[in-house]
Amino acid sequence: MASMFMTISRCHVKAGSEQDARALLEKEMLPNDGKKPGDVIEGLVGFGLMKSKKDPSMYGIATVWESEAAFDKMAANPRAKDGGGIVEKLQKLCDGDVKGEGFYIESL
């Protein structure tokens, strides 16, 4: 059985842009029609939006995938290279880069 796969991205949101960043992420990632994330993006189990306890400008985005293969399939889509535009839009609200890394989930 393939291990579940997780990505974690971090970014510093510019002062005054926090509400816009949160609204963008929720609009782009949170189905508001009763669908689950996997109904919208194949293989996506879920995602989370996090705010740092120590640094209120630091946000984290975690995505959980059925497998690394499911993530790779999504990433192979030409529109996914820029997150369907979400990464570019988020970058404009941030200081510095939006940095991400993948992890194998060995246990929960």
Side-chain angles (χ1 to χ4, degrees):
M1 181 178 158
S3 296
M4 289 177 62
F5 189 71
M6 170 185 252
T7 65
I8 299 176
S9 300
R10 299 167 34 128
C11 60
H12 279 281
V13 176
K14 293 176 187 174
S17 296
E18 298 89 354
Q19 189 172 8
D20 290 339
R22 183 181 181 114
L24 170 68
L25 292 168
E26 289 178 351
K27 175 184 176 283
E28 297 288 337
M29 298 179 71
L30 184 62
N32 61 1
D33 54 5
K35 293 181 181 175
K36 296 178 183 175
D39 295 336
V40 178
I41 302 172
E42 183 180 353
L44 180 61
V45 174
F47 64 89
L49 175 61
M50 302 162 287
K51 186 174 181 178
S52 171
K53 178 180 175 182
K54 292 182 179 181
D55 180 352
S57 74
M58 175 64 74
Y59 281 77
I61 305 160
T63 61
V64 178
W65 300 85
E66 292 173 354
S67 65
E68 186 175 10
F71 173 80
D72 289 343
K73 182 177 179 182
M74 176 280 307
N77 178 336
R79 287 292 291 149
K81 296 295 183 204
D82 64 356
I86 188 174
V87 175
E88 182 180 331
K89 293 172 188 173
L90 182 61
Q91 185 68 55
K92 291 177 181 176
L93 300 172
C94 294
D95 288 323
D97 292 332
V98 178
K99 298 179 182 178
E101 187 170 348
F103 297 86
Y104 297 110
I105 299 175
E106 296 188 357
S107 65
L108 290 175

